[in-house]
Structure formats: C-alpha cells, structure tokens
Amino acid sequence: MTLCKADGMAWLVRGAQVLASAEVLGTRSQRARGLLGRDGVDGAVVLPRCRWVHSLGMRFALDVAYLD
C-alpha cells in the first residue's frame, strides 16, 4: 500500500488499484484535533509520523494500519 498525492488530493493505492481517498492531517493543529467531533470518515485519514492511536471518545469504530 502506498500514499499518492497530487493537486491537494491523496489516495491509498496498491499497484494500479485505488483503495481509498485519503485526508492527510499534517499540521500540528490538525493532528491534535484528529477525528474528535466527527461522526465518521469517508475514505482514510493519514497521520504522518504517528506512533500510536487511541479511540477514547470516538463516535465510531476505527481500523488502523501502520505504513512505513
């Protein structure tokens, strides 16, 4: 799986197949807020340089994949 970015958009891809659209939370404030206050996510959320993820207070279940 790889993350491809172009023109402000990002996608998770495997080979030539697009798996999901992706929102990259790259700034400190975006990363601090994360998914709090959301009822769900369309596609994927990418947290660069993230070592752990918690789900305290989340309104929905999370699937987590670590990419290197």
Side-chain angles (χ1 to χ4, degrees):
M1 225 182 324
T2 12
L3 178 67
C4 295
K5 296 184 204 180
D7 299 326
M9 298 291 295
W11 301 273
L12 289 176
V13 297
R14 179 178 53 212
Q17 179 184 14
V18 175
L19 302 175
S21 62
E23 177 183 354
V24 180
L25 303 181
T27 67
R28 181 176 280 230
S29 62
Q30 288 174 329
R31 291 167 51 86
R33 177 152 188 235
L35 299 175
L36 290 175
R38 297 188 192 196
D39 292 326
V41 174
D42 291 329
V45 173
V46 178
L47 300 166
R49 302 170 311 278
C50 182
R51 293 185 181 184
W52 56 275
V53 176
H54 71 80
S55 60
L56 184 66
M58 292 291 105
R59 298 178 185 169
F60 53 94
L62 302 176
D63 292 327
V64 177
Y66 288 94
L67 306 174
D68 62 359

